Amino acid sequence: MRLTRRHFLKNASATAIALGGLRSLQLQAQVYAQDPVYGIDKVGQLLADPAGILNLPRDFSYKIIARTGDRMSDGLITPSAMDGMAAFPLPGDLSKCILVRNHELDSVGEEIDAFGGDKDLARKHVGRKGYDSFGGLPVNGGTSTLVYSHRSQRVERSHLSLVGTARNCAGGATPWGSWLSCEETLVGKAQGYGREHGYIFEVPSLGKGLVDPVPLKDMGRFVHEAAAVDSTNGIVYLSEDTDRSLFYRFIPKTPGKLAEGGQLQALAIRGWPSANTRNWKEDAQDKNAQPVAMRQRFECEWIDLENVTAPEGDLNTRGEAKGAAIFARGEGIAFALRDDKTREVLFAATGGGPLKIGQVWRYQPSAFEGTARETEQPGVMELVYETHNRAILESCDNIAVAPWGDLIICEDSYSENPDTVNYLRGLTPDGRIYTLAMNAHPDKGEFCGACFSPDGTTLFVNIQRPGFTLAITGPWGNLRSRAKGIDKLG
């Protein structure tokens, strides 16, 4: 997401509080609508939270486990703008898990950094492990790592794990236990930074301190959003948050060793070069645009990209010129391996559709994905869901696959509409949508970083502003028992 849209809420929060006072708690819990064609009521009505934080269905509860400004175990401050996140097992202790969490900061505007503005503390703590600096301090973006106990429902340890990067928005977990943290920006020396940004950085979940910040340059320099790894072959799929974004894949030279390099490619639709899939009304005169219907499927191919770290930051423009398809603001992305071994890569196009409020796409890889034989059985792209009503789904952003196979969708709406509310939604594999939770805080911040604990008992999620990390528990097993599960999540 773009910072300027987020900062709208700072000025609007007082109005939001006033409006909230005019509504009853029951009305606050009843604000969502149900899609008359594709909607289902899977968890029941949301109940109003007396604390005014999170409305949940009956028998579900939450706990705030971390806040912006909290002191971490390493003595530093929990930075603001929590964003993408993943949960990992803690070897040898099933009662605990590890969270690696992004902070979408770039040292510009009102931000809370890990050092409280103390340059001496920053120099002492960071040393040579900051990727870049701005104004005498490490760039504020990066990650923090937390060890969470399911028994005590508390964070037992926490520390800063990556620093000096910019606008770490989302990312993705790897099957080998690391977090891919994505920079959603192309800032560099021209903007006063010491180095160029727009890269992915790998953060091992078991690290005890700051990692060495190594940009994975073969994975491209662009406005990165998120990443998902196919656990069967190590191919990484990448999204890009621009109005004319590409959908990428990275074929590593050695699966699991991304720093050794590989080939970056962009998806193209067979028979529809430079396909404009956005369904925008103003694209009617674009020769490369055509209406895409829900459930419509397209055979795909992949285009090699060159000069992937170009200082011009024009990778998507060059890819489109070579025939790559464009999407409207690719954001969250997740990999699912179904019980029948079918593989899926799902991603959100936050600005897709006639109202520019969201699409969800599904790519089904070829049985020969990433090999010379994939032309025999090409991968297939499908528009799974497109919203035409803000009350049903608006601005789908981070996504995660639930233990029972549904897609969990974080809404990230910063619309100027006074009735704007952000929800957690669920989307079944066959495209049926339902509502899981509502952000009841007057700041109306975005949901982000949704992920389940490895044992499936806890849904973690961030509310970016004012800055909460939440642990949601409840009868998740009831949902799991009603649906076919999946073997592995992304």
Side-chain angles (χ1 to χ4, degrees):
M1 270 307 307
R2 289 167 173 76
L3 195 62
T4 53
R5 292 175 63 199
R6 287 200 175 99
H7 276 251
F8 160 76
L9 283 191
K10 179 175 176 61
N11 297 324
S13 61
T15 302
I17 293 170
L19 288 171
L22 298 176
R23 300 174 181 171
S24 69
L25 286 176
Q26 185 63 24
L27 181 60
Q28 282 279 14
Q30 301 282 348
V31 294
Y32 76 85
Q34 185 170 308
D35 186 322
V37 179
Y38 297 106
I40 55 174
D41 186 7
K42 200 165 188 177
V43 295
Q45 177 61 56
L46 304 185
L47 303 179
D49 176 15
I53 303 294
L54 188 69
N55 295 348
L56 289 168
R58 187 176 304 280
D59 299 326
F60 287 82
S61 62
Y62 73 91
K63 185 170 184 179
I64 299 175
I65 64 170
R67 300 172 186 258
T68 290
D70 282 353
R71 188 69 61 177
M72 295 190 288
S73 303
D74 59 4
L76 302 179
I77 299 167
T78 299
S80 56
M82 304 157 174
D83 209 297
M85 183 168 64
F88 301 86
L90 182 63
D93 194 342
L94 298 178
S95 70
K96 299 176 183 177
C97 68
I98 300 169
L99 293 169
V100 184
R101 177 182 61 192
N102 274 0
H103 297 276
E104 191 185 13
L105 302 171
D106 58 8
S107 297
V108 177
E110 296 182 17
E111 299 182 348
I112 295 176
D113 68 271
F115 311 101
D118 188 331
K119 295 181 181 180
D120 291 335
L121 175 62
R123 281 193 291 269
K124 179 180 178 181
H125 190 93
V126 175
R128 296 180 179 275
K129 291 197 172 181
Y131 176 70
D132 194 9
S133 61
F134 186 91
L137 284 164
V139 181
N140 290 341
T143 65
S144 54
T145 299
L146 304 82
V147 176
Y148 176 80
S149 168
H150 292 289
R151 290 174 181 167
S152 67
Q153 293 188 308
R154 291 178 175 271
V155 173
E156 294 193 342
R157 298 195 308 275
S158 55
H159 66 271
L160 195 67
S161 46
L162 174 69
V163 73
T165 51
R167 298 288 301 279
N168 299 68
C169 192
T174 70
W176 50 92
S178 63
W179 168 250
L180 301 179
S181 186
C182 297
E183 290 189 306
E184 188 197 27
T185 184
L186 291 173
V187 296
K189 294 180 179 179
Q191 291 78 33
Y193 296 83
R195 305 179 71 173
E196 301 300 312
H197 293 264
Y199 294 111
I200 294 176
F201 295 79
E202 189 165 10
V203 181
S205 62
L206 295 177
K208 302 298 185 183
L210 285 171
V211 302
D212 292 322
V214 178
L216 301 175
K217 293 191 173 182
D218 275 11
M219 299 182 80
R221 179 175 181 261
F222 55 90
V223 184
H224 282 278
E225 174 69 26
V229 184
D230 185 332
S231 58
T232 68
N233 55 28
I235 293 175
V236 187
Y237 297 87
L238 306 169
S239 59
E240 175 181 36
D241 190 0
T242 69
D243 284 344
R244 304 184 77 88
S245 61
L246 307 187
F247 181 61
Y248 300 87
R249 79 175 179 190
F250 177 73
I251 303 177
K253 292 178 180 177
T254 306
K257 297 182 178 180
L258 304 180
E260 293 183 4
Q263 177 65 56
L264 185 67
Q265 299 176 319
L267 178 138
I269 293 176
R270 277 190 172 182
W272 186 12
S274 304
N276 181 340
T277 69
R278 302 185 300 185
N279 279 351
W280 285 8
K281 296 174 183 177
E282 58 263 46
D283 286 341
Q285 303 305 314
D286 183 344
K287 63 181 178 62
N288 295 322
Q290 65 182 45
V292 179
M294 286 170 56
R295 309 295 189 273
Q296 191 170 357
R297 294 163 61 86
F298 303 93
E299 290 188 345
C300 301
E301 52 196 17
W302 292 88
I303 297 171
D304 286 345
L305 299 173
E306 297 84 28
N307 194 17
V308 299
T309 62
E312 296 81 8
D314 62 347
L315 192 56
N316 63 325
T317 302
R318 289 185 285 116
E320 182 183 355
K322 292 183 69 174
I326 66 163
F327 300 87
R329 299 191 52 221
E331 294 210 73
I333 184 170
F335 171 75
L337 180 61
R338 303 292 179 185
D339 282 340
D340 63 0
K341 305 306 178 184
T342 299
R343 293 171 295 145
E344 297 179 357
V345 182
L346 299 116
F347 72 95
T350 302
L355 299 182
K356 302 183 180 180
I357 56 174
Q359 297 170 323
V360 178
W361 292 84
R362 172 167 48 212
Y363 174 69
Q364 294 179 305
S366 165
F368 309 107
E369 188 80 358
T371 72
R373 293 189 61 192
E374 71 178 321
T375 55
E376 301 172 19
Q377 186 179 330
V380 175
M381 182 70 80
E382 177 185 7
L383 179 58
V384 179
Y385 192 84
E386 181 177 85
T387 179
H388 297 260
N389 186 332
R390 293 176 54 243
I392 294 168
L393 176 66
E394 181 177 16
S395 300
C396 44
D397 192 344
N398 290 181
I399 59 176
V401 180
W404 59 91
D406 292 353
L407 193 67
I408 306 302
I409 302 172
C410 295
E411 287 192 341
D412 174 17
S413 175
Y414 284 84
S415 167
E416 296 185 17
N417 290 290
D419 61 343
T420 292
V421 180
N422 281 313
Y423 294 93
L424 285 178
R425 312 285 190 177
L427 187 70
T428 66
D430 62 348
R432 310 273 285 179
I433 195 162
Y434 58 96
T435 298
L436 271 177
M438 167 188 156
N439 178 5
H441 192 279
D443 277 6
K444 300 185 178 182
E446 67 177 271
F447 281 113
C448 43
C451 58
F452 273 88
S453 59
D455 66 0
T457 63
T458 305
L459 173 62
F460 299 102
V461 70
N462 296 317
I463 295 178
Q464 188 173 92
R465 299 182 192 276
F468 303 137
T469 298
L470 309 174
I472 304 172
T473 54
W476 298 118
N478 292 345
L479 294 173
R480 189 182 299 113
S481 66
R482 291 187 221 140
K484 290 183 179 180
I486 61 174
D487 297 324
K488 296 182 182 178
L489 310 180

